[in-house]
Amino acid sequence: MQALPALFTVVILLGGIYSGICTPTEAGAVASAYALIISALIYKTLGWKKLWGIIKKSAANTATLALLCGTSMLFSYIISLEQVPRVVASLVMGITDNKYIFLFIVNIVFLLLGCVLDVSTIQLVFVPMVLPLVQAMGIDLVHFGVVICLNMMIGLSTPPFGMLLFIVSGLGKTKIKGVIREILPMVLIMIGLLFLVTYVPDIIMFIPNNFM
């Protein structure tokens, strides 16, 4: 019973999104406000000192993300101005015009990028570069979006830059190499699932094709 107010945060977050009442951003804001209220009034674990620390940390994270978004947009403008996507498209089309081989190349490239780059950088910089080629190949954008999301999820769990590895290491108070050793079998399973989803698109497209 004591945990019910905290668990209701998930209901607000997911309920707001899936019901269509609010966007994911708005749902996150409402859920955060609710969490602050119950922390201060119900659980009484949030004082002014902790609240100020949360505000400072949130401001720093927001500033970092804003800087990343700004520089990514500038970089995207430059590569568009220099017609880099068209050059990349011509290069790939010179190698193959088979969409399945193209998807294999994309998976390998994005898996490698996920090992060394942050998800936001991949999403804002590299996805727009391959998107015109995806459309030219006739690949469904919903299917491609899920494939890229799986790639980035795997990237969050792979060394040396996997953000989730550091989070789990911190929460579990264990060494990062121990986390990597334990997660490797799961990563291999996720990679297998990635290629299954890539080459059997009906797994993804069943619901959009039949219910939307």
Side-chain angles (χ1 to χ4, degrees):
M1 292 296 292
Q2 190 176 1
L4 280 179
L7 292 174
F8 195 67
T9 308
V10 181
V11 177
I12 294 175
L13 181 63
L14 298 181
I17 295 172
Y18 290 122
S19 65
I21 296 175
C22 51
T23 65
T25 303
E26 292 167 345
V30 173
S32 297
Y34 173 77
L36 287 173
I37 291 171
I38 64 170
S39 296
L41 301 181
I42 296 179
Y43 294 110
K44 302 185 186 305
T45 57
L46 182 66
W48 288 110
K49 187 176 181 179
K50 284 186 178 180
L51 179 60
W52 180 242
I54 292 171
I55 291 173
K56 288 196 295 183
K57 189 173 181 180
S58 298
N61 291 338
T62 302
T64 302
L65 186 58
L67 183 61
L68 177 61
C69 290
T71 53
S72 298
M73 290 181 67
L74 178 61
F75 184 74
S76 297
Y77 173 75
I78 293 172
I79 64 173
S80 298
L81 192 65
E82 296 297 326
Q83 298 183 340
V84 173
R86 194 169 77 173
V87 173
V88 172
S90 300
L91 179 63
V92 174
M93 292 293 282
I95 298 173
T96 179
D97 58 357
N98 186 307
K99 69 177 183 179
Y100 298 107
I101 297 176
F102 167 72
L103 285 170
F104 178 80
I105 295 171
V106 166
N107 277 334
I108 296 300
V109 170
F110 276 82
L111 283 173
L112 293 175
L113 288 174
C115 292
V116 295
L117 292 176
D118 182 64
V119 167
S120 301
T121 306
I122 296 173
Q123 186 176 356
L124 293 169
V125 176
F126 292 97
V127 172
M129 290 178 65
V130 299
L131 205 54
L133 192 53
V134 171
Q135 294 171 315
M137 289 276 187
I139 300 169
D140 189 280
L141 292 180
V142 174
H143 175 227
F144 182 73
V146 173
V147 169
I148 291 299
C149 284
L150 278 172
N151 268 289
M152 292 191 293
M153 182 186 72
I154 295 170
L156 285 170
S157 307
T158 51
F161 197 76
M163 188 62 67
L164 295 182
L165 298 177
F166 296 101
I167 293 174
V168 172
S169 175
L171 291 174
K173 293 179 172 48
T174 184
K175 292 183 178 180
I176 191 74
K177 64 179 181 180
V179 177
I180 294 172
R181 184 175 60 250
E182 295 297 328
I183 203 174
L184 275 179
M186 302 300 107
V187 170
L188 293 176
I189 293 173
M190 288 192 290
I191 292 174
L193 177 63
L194 169 65
F195 281 94
L196 179 64
V197 166
T198 300
Y199 293 111
V200 189
D202 286 341
I203 296 174
I204 301 301
M205 301 307 299
F206 176 78
I207 293 178
N209 287 341
N210 292 282
F211 299 101
M212 297 178 68

